[in-house]
Amino acid sequence: MRPIALNGHDRALTKVRYNREGDLLFSVAKDKVPCVWYSHNGERIGTYEGHEGTVWSCDVDYLSEHLVTASADNTLRVWDVQTGKSLAMIETNTAVRSCCFSLDGRSIMYSTDHAMGYPCYHRIVDLQQLKQEGGKAKPRYETEIKVKEKRITSLLWGPDSCFTAHANGDIVSWDLETKKPKAFQSAHKGIIMDLQFKSDFMFMISASKDHTAKVFDCDTMDIVKTFETERPVNAAAISPTRDHVILGGGQEARDVTTTHGAAGKFDARLHHLVLEEEIGRIKGHFGPINTLAFHPTGKGYASGGEDGFVRVHEFDDIYFDFEFEY
Amino acid sequence: MTATDATELPPVDERLVIEEGDTQKVIEVVEEDGKRFKQTTVYNVVREEVKMPSRVLARRSWAKFGKSARAPPGPEPMTTSISDEVFIEFTAAREAEAAEQRKQEEQRQKAQQMSVPYRLPVALRQEKTEEEMPKRPQTGAYRAPRTRNGAASAFDEEQPSLQITNLPPWTTDDDLRDLCNAIAPVRRVFLAKDKRTGDAKGFAYVDFNMRQDAATALEKLDGHRYGPSVLSCEWAKPRRK
């Protein structure tokens, strides 16, 4: 396959995301300007200008009308996907680390960093209210996490409940009525970098700096599968069509200059979802992979690296012909 | 209209498109070396129906905005590029290859031990090798020690590469790749082409991942009928001599 390399960012990528149909690809990086691309040919449709700091996360709603971005300039912004206009903004006391839409696209959940004496906040706001009242809109839901080591690094909001991944390696499922944790799993020994659903919302996969990725049952929060590697895992995604998992990572950015390129292990790794065994590797990035997303049809994936490139892959027939022998 | 107007040729950019069923005829005026020609090109039109959700279709015609606002339609070379071909390196293949390499290494060592029944002590050995050192070839061109005296290295001899000859001139890289990929995954394809016309010269080199794959391909491709010609296939000779 010949991946499309997207060079729209000057700095390390933090998140890539496909919309529901998979025709649009959103990318955010540490360089302040989120981009949207056509996924079939890599054409850049536009950029969303307004942030003044690293953009940590983004999410697009079900109808691909709104984009929400979380930034280190202490704001959360909502954009009109088609025109790039900023529709609403929430100012917070600390950096907004993660954000996501509810499945119906009517609410936004976000979390802020624990810094400068402020705790980590976990909030839900109503999109309509936010568009009307702007930053003054009162959050519908709010909890605070006072321990710095337990700050939220990643969020997910499924059909039944919402999940938070924490810096100390915990994953918590929340009851939004009582604001109490429903289920809890101390899954990892290191910071959790990424949390993603399988397309059917039955399972989710976490990626952690402790060199492992784990698959959880969303109902019981049991660890179902563990994928062990020899490097920090920054991103993990489950294929929507095949029993495959893709993991991306590599050594820490600060160690990159002191080691040989081949030793960095910057390739994406395919694992079998059920058997946990490695299937293959795909090279390409010359820095660690920070984020991964499967195309909703499972025909390809996009990866964003510390090197500032997004690579959009479309699998060859050899991938679809491949059967794992066991 | 004056007489000069009547003799004036139609302008260069004039283009006439006639559509007839599955063919499209384009008649245009081209200018070459100050002379104007009428050029007729007939295209076969292949229509492909692609189904996509109406929302996706609507999004295809969005106007660009932000930093891309002034960009023309289509991908911009500044931000979008097609990168080099990458392959999924399947773990099973990699392990099999590593195992095969280990096996070959063992065999080589065994063979070496068999042919050298007694190893001299280090001090003596060094003396002897100096005596036996082959003289520098008189040609003056540098050659790596292992390839001197026309000896190809063991490494080259065991390359999983094939030489395919008698290919028809319209063969392309992709044709060849498809042909060989059907037998086993191919690592590299080199098709010799005429520099001027771009036609295939008739021979090609194909590298497979494993020696065993190459052996299977050799068996299948030698004498294989490909279009009007019968292919002939053999192990590629070492690249350096």
Side-chain angles (χ1 to χ4, degrees):
Chain A
M1 58 190 154
R2 300 196 63 176
I4 308 173
L6 310 180
N7 186 14
H9 296 285
D10 305 332
R11 291 194 59 203
L13 270 290
T14 49
K15 193 104 184 167
V16 291
R17 224 177 236 284
Y18 283 101
N19 66 340
R20 183 172 58 100
E21 290 92 352
D23 62 320
L24 301 182
L25 177 69
F26 297 88
S27 64
V28 293
K30 291 184 180 172
D31 72 347
K32 310 173 188 176
V33 189
C35 292
V36 59
W37 315 78
Y38 284 127
S39 67
H40 69 287
N41 64 357
E43 179 179 353
R44 185 163 76 177
I45 309 167
T47 55
Y48 301 91
E49 289 180 37
H51 276 305
E52 279 152 27
T54 293
V55 188
W56 286 119
S57 183
C58 71
D59 194 15
V60 59
D61 69 352
Y62 188 79
L63 297 175
S64 310
E65 285 170 354
H66 299 104
L67 175 75
V68 59
T69 53
S71 168
D73 64 359
N74 301 356
T75 62
L76 175 101
R77 279 174 190 262
V78 181
W79 311 84
D80 181 29
V81 168
Q82 185 177 350
T83 60
K85 284 194 188 103
S86 178
L87 298 178
M89 180 176 86
I90 301 175
E91 283 185 38
T92 56
N93 293 322
T94 57
V96 189
R97 177 63 59 163
S98 50
C99 58
C100 70
F101 272 105
S102 62
L103 285 180
D104 63 3
R106 286 184 193 167
S107 315
I108 296 166
M109 178 158 72
Y110 68 94
S111 74
T112 62
D113 266 358
H114 185 293
M116 298 180 291
Y118 293 101
C120 160
Y121 282 106
H122 175 206
R123 294 192 183 116
I124 294 172
V125 288
D126 193 71
L127 177 63
Q128 205 55 41
Q129 203 184 346
L130 185 63
K131 273 158 77 175
Q132 281 163 6
E133 298 171 28
K136 293 189 289 288
K138 274 242 155 67
R140 208 175 77 200
Y141 167 94
E142 180 177 277
T143 54
E144 53 188 77
I145 294 154
K146 284 178 182 139
V147 187
K148 186 171 187 186
E149 281 65 41
K150 288 188 181 171
R151 69 186 190 278
I152 295 171
T153 54
S154 200
L155 285 172
L156 277 184
W157 198 351
D160 301 325
S161 46
C162 77
F163 302 92
T164 54
H166 299 259
N168 63 347
D170 291 351
I171 292 182
V172 182
S173 140
W174 295 88
D175 186 336
L176 297 181
E177 298 294 322
T178 60
K179 300 186 182 181
K180 295 253 162 62
K182 259 201 299 198
F184 165 87
Q185 180 67 258
S186 58
H188 289 283
K189 291 191 191 82
I191 179 167
I192 298 176
M193 301 302 289
D194 191 19
L195 193 63
Q196 289 194 27
F197 277 124
K198 191 174 187 291
S199 55
D200 57 8
F201 301 106
M202 297 292 284
F203 299 99
M204 58 187 170
I205 188 163
S206 64
S208 165
K209 284 276 186 219
D210 70 354
H211 300 200
T212 59
K214 290 181 181 179
V215 173
F216 305 84
D217 185 320
C218 286
D219 262 356
T220 61
M221 294 289 286
D222 290 336
I223 299 172
V224 191
K225 298 288 168 192
T226 304
F227 304 91
E228 284 184 17
T229 69
E230 70 295 337
R231 56 191 166 174
V233 187
N234 292 341
I238 306 176
S239 166
T241 47
R242 303 200 69 185
D243 286 338
H244 291 169
V245 165
I246 195 157
L247 309 180
Q251 60 193 169
E252 296 275 354
R254 63 169 179 265
D255 301 332
V256 168
T257 49
T258 58
T259 45
H260 186 255
K265 305 185 175 71
F266 302 142
D267 37 10
R269 291 181 26 156
L270 276 170
H271 282 255
H272 196 279
L273 173 62
V274 182
L275 303 165
E276 299 178 3
E277 274 177 57
E278 187 186 324
I279 294 168
R281 295 178 184 197
I282 302 159
K283 282 189 184 144
H285 283 286
F286 44 90
I289 292 174
N290 283 347
T291 171
L292 282 170
F294 251 107
H295 192 275
T297 59
K299 286 180 183 162
Y301 74 94
S303 57
E306 189 74 21
D307 54 12
F309 280 95
V310 178
R311 290 169 71 85
V312 186
H313 304 72
E314 200 170 315
F315 290 124
D316 289 331
D317 291 342
I318 194 164
Y319 168 79
F320 298 103
D321 295 342
F322 177 80
E323 290 296 332
F324 198 82
E325 286 165 24
Y326 47 90
Chain B
M1 255 191 191
T2 59
T4 50
D5 279 341
T7 55
E8 209 158 83
L9 292 162
V12 175
D13 291 333
E14 197 157 290
R15 210 157 173 269
L16 187 67
V17 181
I18 306 161
E19 295 209 22
E20 294 164 349
D22 283 350
T23 58
Q24 192 185 44
K25 205 188 232 175
V26 178
I27 303 167
E28 55 195 332
V29 178
V30 292
E31 194 170 299
E32 217 172 83
D33 301 332
K35 288 176 185 169
R36 286 182 186 178
F37 297 95
K38 176 180 150 190
Q39 182 179 300
T40 312
T41 325
V42 182
Y43 296 98
N44 282 328
V45 179
V46 181
R47 289 193 174 77
E48 200 181 341
E49 198 170 302
V50 181
K51 285 191 176 169
M52 59 170 82
S54 55
R55 279 178 174 281
V56 176
L57 191 64
R59 285 200 283 264
R60 286 281 163 95
S61 51
W62 275 4
K64 292 189 179 183
F65 58 90
K67 280 186 187 167
S68 295
R70 283 191 214 141
E76 299 162 72
M78 281 291 285
T79 53
T80 308
S81 56
I82 307 287
S83 59
D84 292 339
E85 182 104 34
V86 293
F87 300 100
I88 305 177
E89 295 166 22
F90 288 105
T91 313
R94 206 171 56 223
E95 275 171 7
E97 202 176 350
E100 198 171 329
Q101 269 178 6
R102 273 201 300 277
K103 204 171 142 192
Q104 281 177 1
E105 187 60 34
E106 266 172 34
Q107 280 176 350
R108 201 177 301 153
Q109 278 177 359
K110 212 180 246 176
Q112 254 177 8
Q113 282 169 5
M114 299 272 272
S115 63
V116 185
Y118 174 68
R119 306 188 101 192
L120 291 164
V122 177
L124 288 173
R125 234 191 304 165
Q126 274 172 352
E127 242 171 69
K128 201 169 178 187
T129 48
E130 263 167 40
E131 275 172 25
E132 283 178 356
M133 274 271 274
K135 280 186 182 164
R136 209 170 247 279
Q138 296 302 307
T139 51
Y142 175 77
R143 280 183 175 171
R146 58 177 188 160
T147 60
R148 276 177 202 158
N149 300 337
S153 68
F155 177 75
D156 276 337
E157 273 170 18
E158 280 162 27
Q159 282 290 302
S161 330
L162 297 180
Q163 183 191 38
I164 303 175
T165 49
N166 207 21
L167 287 158
W170 55 82
T171 318
T172 64
D173 282 336
D174 286 343
D175 290 345
L176 195 61
R177 185 166 279 135
D178 289 347
L179 176 74
C180 299
N181 259 330
I183 301 163
V186 171
R187 196 168 62 194
R188 186 189 77 111
V189 163
F190 172 77
L191 178 68
K193 281 180 223 136
D194 191 307
K195 265 186 195 157
R196 201 171 49 83
T197 60
D199 286 347
K201 279 187 176 173
F203 68 97
Y205 294 95
V206 180
D207 289 7
F208 290 85
N209 283 325
M210 281 188 282
R211 182 79 171 171
Q212 208 184 343
D213 287 349
T216 330
L218 175 68
E219 209 172 281
K220 285 195 179 165
L221 288 181
D222 196 23
H224 177 77
R225 199 169 150 182
Y226 190 64
S229 50
V230 176
L231 303 184
S232 130
C233 186
E234 55 190 70
W235 289 109
K237 295 186 182 68
R239 271 176 222 146
R240 278 162 287 147
K241 255 194 176 171

